[in-house]
Amino acid sequence: MALIGLITDFGLQDEYVGLMKAVILGIDAAAAPVDLSHAVEPQNVVQAAFLLEAAYRYFPAGSIHLIVVDPGVGTERAVLYLEANRQRFIAPDNGVLSLLMDPPGAVSSLRRVDNPALWRPRVSPTFHGRDIMAPAVAHLSKGMDARKLGPELNPNEVKILDGLRARRSGDGGIQGRIVHIDRFGNLITNLDQALLQFSEAFWPDRPPAIHLGGQLIVGVCRTYGDVEAGRPLALVGSRGYLEIAVRCGNAQRYFGVRQGDAVEVRPAR
Amino acid sequence: MALIGLITDFGLQDEYVGLMKAVILGIDAAAAPVDLSHAVEPQNVVQAAFLLEAAYRYFPAGSIHLIVVDPGVGTERAVLYLEANRQRFIAPDNGVLSLLMDPPGAVSSLRRVDNPALWRPRVSPTFHGRDIMAPAVAHLSKGMDARKLGPELNPNEVKILDGLRARRSGDGGIQGRIVHIDRFGNLITNLDQALLQFSEAFWPDRPPAIHLGGQLIVGVCRTYGDVEAGRPLALVGSRGYLEIAVRCGNAQRYFGVRQGDAVEVRPAR
Amino acid sequence: MALIGLITDFGLQDEYVGLMKAVILGIDAAAAPVDLSHAVEPQNVVQAAFLLEAAYRYFPAGSIHLIVVDPGVGTERAVLYLEANRQRFIAPDNGVLSLLMDPPGAVSSLRRVDNPALWRPRVSPTFHGRDIMAPAVAHLSKGMDARKLGPELNPNEVKILDGLRARRSGDGGIQGRIVHIDRFGNLITNLDQALLQFSEAFWPDRPPAIHLGGQLIVGVCRTYGDVEAGRPLALVGSRGYLEIAVRCGNAQRYFGVRQGDAVEVRPAR
């Protein structure tokens, strides 16, 4: 029996997520599906990749994650099985697992999921999540050896998205972007804590200046309560990444930004 | 222990769905509720009927489905128990089970759920889902004989909605309608695969022409990838019904149509 | 093993709710989380307090409720453990448990949750739901003695919100307000059944007049079917409180009111 984290762009208004759970529980009644998010923007593989990275560490070792953001469903794109960081992942080969394969040494096992004996009797060309991936997840949860899923792959045979991580710029700053905007309007970036700490931008005598949407925040707070209601702040959010928030307010509306917009950290002058 | 599929028009913002689950799990801690959709349009019995038909086959035999789309709650309308296709269903007597009773021979058992010994001590006249139906479901899940739910009914004693299925028109075409629009804007019709295959519209030398919203699609594709991004297509969707989609786009906006609008298939000229 | 009711203002689009479930199930795989609502308005403690009161009675004795509406996260506000009415509650000390501590005699146990041995190794200052409260809930579910959570508190040491309940006005009426508006646009008030029954407003020769949004409803119905489609009505809803609805319609739009608006019951003239 395993926890099964679910990330999709299916939304919850349709039956799609429920059908995957019914298929999983029909094969392994002891499986425990856990919805992480089904509100990934349709076909937004980058958003799903960061959501997965933020979430998987909170699952016990051996958990299985099923990620179905799959614009290429029904085409020749493969379905992947990945073991990394003591967790297991099943997803289309479209780059959504990129952050888990960086560095490549993190990969314990990588396979193509292509054993039709595990599929549902009739496979819809538009819903591999239900007919191919959910059964694979359930058989793993029930204890099946992962080698039965299909043949091994090399990491260089699968699609990797480049440029997902923030990076240092020449002048000692960091360049990144907004990868998710949550219900509260908090702007979650790809500027991770380690990068922040090692950047010159964190020199103690020059607090970092965070630039976004043509505006500026100086300094990084610890929690929302560190500023007055209605004021913007930057903090290291619960994902471990730099977040921009407005206390008791909505940073998305405050800054007028969108997912994908640039965020830059520079030493303040 | 049984899987319990849940379909309602309650939405997820209120406590209503959670209360039904709490009642079910309070009676049978081993029950496994699976949300199919709680976003049925308020009181849209037809939408729920098609959603149910699309979903129930993916549940293991013996599963129980609870459908609470119940504009007549608190009036004299009965609550029904139906066994069909090796699955069990509890729902108000308002036609939501019509597709499952067609043909009538599909019905293995049909009962009125009216045994007050199974109800919660106080029954709200506005929430029979929580106080009458959820306990019935839970007792079944726990192994109770369905005969304890209430007396047998004849199929002709319950409400059946006519005209749900698409039908052949005089000139060799098929007339149907949009019964659901999903998160992606895909238009799901009631034109089922069997009807499509047997229709003259599928004569190989004349690809079918699908008419909707004053526009036309010629031919039926296999999957989204068969057309260019932004282009419309028709395909047999994962429900087994004709769907109209726009690759990497939104067919609802593209065609400017709404649920209930007509869709017609005719041989192309 | 316990049912675990979940109420938050996290929404379902982000991973926050799923992470709390993963943490809970990682500690107690037999726990059964039940979503009540994650659509509490951001930081609306009053709405959450009424939602909790409406919901907890439907859970079996010994259930645990986790309420994370927590505008003070990361500040000095405490986390509370409450036992009342044979149920258990974990929530921030911000008044969200007020209705359960009224009268104070209802409290069987009240503690501060402050034992770091139970926390996750790294506690985010912006997500105590995941790092402090979820582990506490899971250890309780697994059978841990509540005394290990932290020291006892007196009810007068915690924040209580006043004025939550409706009250009699001088002239024999009742003054309350709208505390929740549900998916159907039904207006749920804080005018409870007992108050209604004992009020002079219920004198049999003078049916009660319900005033809201500058308009008037006379009399209290039993269920929606008691009026014609499109007509407004008042009834005692499934929460046990006075509700204003429009049959087959939307009372929020009909009356043009908002959550928090006043509702008054007076004897009709």
Side-chain angles (χ1 to χ4, degrees):
Chain A
M1 173 275 204
L3 290 203
I4 296 170
L6 298 174
I7 295 175
T8 77
D9 61 357
F10 292 165
L12 287 173
Q13 63 265 57
D14 306 306
E15 73 275 18
Y16 306 138
V17 172
L19 292 185
M20 295 202 306
K21 290 180 186 170
V23 167
I24 290 170
L25 292 166
I27 293 169
D28 180 16
V34 173
D35 298 306
L36 279 165
S37 175
H38 302 293
V40 172
E41 285 186 4
Q43 305 158 354
N44 191 330
V45 171
V46 171
Q47 189 188 22
F50 278 101
L51 205 155
L52 175 62
E53 187 180 68
Y56 80 86
R57 326 168 181 273
Y58 294 93
F59 283 67
S63 294
I64 306 170
H65 297 268
L66 173 56
I67 306 98
V68 192
V69 178
D70 194 7
V73 63
T75 66
E76 290 302 305
R77 70 96 191 82
V79 173
L80 300 181
Y81 169 75
L82 170 69
E83 264 176 57
N85 299 305
R86 303 172 64 206
Q87 309 250 349
R88 300 176 278 177
F89 304 87
I90 286 187
D93 180 13
N94 58 20
V96 74
L97 302 178
S98 296
L99 291 165
L100 289 157
M101 301 174 67
D102 172 24
V107 174
S108 327
S109 172
L110 183 63
R111 295 184 175 276
R112 177 189 291 267
V113 175
D114 69 357
N115 177 358
L118 302 174
W119 301 351
R120 284 192 56 86
R122 290 171 62 172
V123 172
S124 163
T126 57
F127 198 178
H128 289 185
R130 180 190 67 193
D131 298 336
I132 294 178
M133 296 184 237
V137 163
H139 286 291
L140 287 174
S141 171
K142 216 178 169 179
M144 190 191 73
D145 190 317
R147 285 174 294 188
K148 292 200 179 153
L149 292 171
E152 256 185 303
L153 290 171
N154 279 318
N156 59 15
E157 293 177 274
V158 310
K159 180 160 184 181
I160 300 288
L161 296 171
D162 292 322
L164 292 183
R165 305 234 186 245
R167 53 184 168 193
R168 299 191 194 196
S169 56
D171 59 352
I174 314 171
Q175 289 181 323
R177 54 180 162 151
I178 298 166
V179 295
H180 182 68
I181 300 178
D182 77 7
R183 185 200 188 193
F184 303 92
N186 297 326
L187 312 172
I188 293 125
T189 75
N190 63 346
L191 280 74
D192 69 85
Q193 202 161 4
L195 195 55
L196 282 172
Q197 282 166 347
F198 287 101
S199 162
E200 290 175 305
F202 262 63
W203 285 356
D205 56 338
R206 293 191 300 172
I210 295 121
H211 298 260
L212 76 165
Q215 297 182 66
L216 176 68
I217 296 175
V218 175
V220 175
C221 296
R222 200 184 127 271
T223 191
Y224 308 123
D226 293 348
V227 300
E228 310 248 309
R231 299 294 306 158
L233 71 156
L235 46 68
V236 176
S238 64
R239 282 189 175 188
Y241 286 88
L242 190 77
E243 288 185 23
I244 314 298
V246 168
R247 186 180 177 195
C248 301
N250 185 303
Q252 178 175 29
R253 287 200 288 268
Y254 187 99
F255 288 98
V257 290
R258 305 174 64 162
Q259 198 190 306
D261 282 2
V263 176
E264 198 171 348
V265 177
R266 287 199 290 258
R269 273 146 227 286
Chain B
M1 174 275 206
L3 290 203
I4 296 170
L6 298 174
I7 295 174
T8 77
D9 61 357
F10 292 164
L12 287 173
Q13 63 264 58
D14 307 304
E15 74 274 20
Y16 306 137
V17 172
L19 292 185
M20 295 202 305
K21 290 180 186 169
V23 167
I24 290 169
L25 292 166
I27 293 170
D28 180 18
V34 174
D35 298 306
L36 280 164
S37 176
H38 302 292
V40 172
E41 286 186 2
Q43 305 157 356
N44 191 330
V45 172
V46 170
Q47 189 189 22
F50 278 101
L51 205 155
L52 176 61
E53 188 180 67
Y56 79 85
R57 333 170 175 269
Y58 293 93
F59 283 68
S63 293
I64 306 171
H65 297 268
L66 172 56
I67 306 99
V68 192
V69 178
D70 193 8
V73 63
T75 66
E76 291 301 305
R77 71 95 190 81
V79 172
L80 301 181
Y81 169 74
L82 170 68
E83 263 178 58
N85 299 307
R86 302 173 64 207
Q87 308 249 351
R88 300 176 279 177
F89 304 87
I90 286 186
D93 180 13
N94 59 20
V96 75
L97 302 178
S98 296
L99 292 166
L100 289 157
M101 302 175 66
D102 172 23
V107 173
S108 326
S109 171
L110 184 63
R111 295 184 176 275
R112 177 191 291 265
V113 175
D114 69 357
N115 177 357
L118 302 174
W119 301 351
R120 284 191 57 86
R122 289 171 65 171
V123 172
S124 163
T126 57
F127 199 178
H128 289 185
R130 179 190 69 194
D131 297 336
I132 294 178
M133 295 185 238
V137 162
H139 286 292
L140 287 175
S141 170
K142 216 178 169 179
M144 190 191 73
D145 190 316
R147 284 175 294 188
K148 292 200 178 152
L149 292 172
E152 254 184 304
L153 290 171
N154 279 317
N156 59 16
E157 293 177 272
V158 309
K159 181 161 183 181
I160 300 290
L161 296 171
D162 292 321
L164 292 183
R165 304 233 185 246
R167 52 183 169 192
R168 299 192 193 196
S169 55
D171 59 351
I174 315 171
Q175 289 182 323
R177 54 181 163 149
I178 298 166
V179 294
H180 183 68
I181 300 177
D182 76 8
R183 185 197 190 197
F184 302 93
N186 297 325
L187 312 172
I188 293 127
T189 76
N190 62 347
L191 281 73
D192 69 85
Q193 202 163 3
L195 195 56
L196 282 172
Q197 282 166 347
F198 287 101
S199 161
E200 290 175 305
F202 262 63
W203 285 355
D205 55 338
R206 293 192 300 173
I210 295 120
H211 298 260
L212 77 164
Q215 297 182 66
L216 175 69
I217 296 175
V218 176
V220 174
C221 296
R222 199 182 128 273
T223 192
Y224 309 122
D226 293 347
V227 300
E228 310 247 310
R231 298 294 306 157
L233 71 155
L235 46 68
V236 176
S238 64
R239 282 189 175 186
Y241 286 87
L242 190 77
E243 288 185 25
I244 315 299
V246 168
R247 187 179 177 196
C248 301
N250 184 303
Q252 178 175 29
R253 287 199 288 268
Y254 187 98
F255 288 99
V257 291
R258 305 175 62 162
Q259 196 189 309
D261 282 1
V263 176
E264 200 172 347
V265 178
R266 287 199 289 259
R269 272 144 229 285
Chain C
M1 171 274 204
L3 291 203
I4 296 170
L6 299 174
I7 295 175
T8 77
D9 61 356
F10 292 164
L12 287 173
Q13 63 265 56
D14 306 304
E15 73 276 17
Y16 306 138
V17 172
L19 292 184
M20 295 202 305
K21 291 180 185 169
V23 168
I24 290 170
L25 292 167
I27 293 169
D28 180 17
V34 174
D35 299 305
L36 279 164
S37 175
H38 302 293
V40 172
E41 286 186 3
Q43 305 158 355
N44 191 330
V45 172
V46 171
Q47 189 189 22
F50 277 101
L51 205 156
L52 175 62
E53 188 181 66
Y56 79 85
R57 330 168 179 272
Y58 293 93
F59 283 67
S63 293
I64 306 170
H65 297 268
L66 173 55
I67 306 98
V68 192
V69 177
D70 193 8
V73 64
T75 66
E76 290 301 305
R77 70 95 190 83
V79 172
L80 301 181
Y81 169 75
L82 170 69
E83 264 178 57
N85 299 305
R86 303 171 64 206
Q87 309 249 351
R88 299 176 280 176
F89 305 87
I90 285 187
D93 180 13
N94 59 20
V96 76
L97 301 178
S98 297
L99 292 166
L100 289 157
M101 302 175 67
D102 173 25
V107 174
S108 325
S109 172
L110 183 64
R111 294 184 175 276
R112 178 190 291 265
V113 175
D114 69 357
N115 178 357
L118 303 174
W119 302 350
R120 284 191 56 86
R122 289 172 63 174
V123 172
S124 163
T126 57
F127 199 178
H128 289 185
R130 179 190 69 193
D131 298 337
I132 294 178
M133 296 184 237
V137 162
H139 285 292
L140 287 174
S141 170
K142 215 178 170 179
M144 189 191 73
D145 189 315
R147 284 174 294 187
K148 293 200 180 152
L149 292 171
E152 254 184 303
L153 290 172
N154 279 317
N156 59 16
E157 293 176 273
V158 309
K159 180 159 183 183
I160 300 290
L161 296 171
D162 292 321
L164 292 183
R165 305 233 185 248
R167 53 183 168 192
R168 299 192 194 195
S169 55
D171 59 350
I174 315 171
Q175 288 181 323
R177 53 182 163 149
I178 298 166
V179 294
H180 182 69
I181 299 177
D182 76 8
R183 185 200 189 197
F184 302 92
N186 297 326
L187 312 171
I188 292 127
T189 75
N190 63 346
L191 281 73
D192 69 85
Q193 202 162 4
L195 196 55
L196 282 173
Q197 282 166 347
F198 286 100
S199 162
E200 290 175 304
F202 262 63
W203 285 356
D205 54 338
R206 293 192 299 174
I210 296 118
H211 299 260
L212 77 165
Q215 298 181 63
L216 176 68
I217 296 175
V218 175
V220 174
C221 296
R222 200 183 126 272
T223 192
Y224 309 123
D226 293 348
V227 300
E228 311 246 311
R231 298 295 306 158
L233 72 156
L235 46 68
V236 176
S238 64
R239 281 191 175 186
Y241 285 88
L242 191 77
E243 287 184 25
I244 315 297
V246 168
R247 186 180 176 195
C248 301
N250 185 303
Q252 179 175 27
R253 287 200 288 267
Y254 186 98
F255 288 97
V257 290
R258 305 175 63 163
Q259 196 189 307
D261 282 1
V263 176
E264 199 172 349
V265 177
R266 287 200 290 258
R269 273 144 227 285

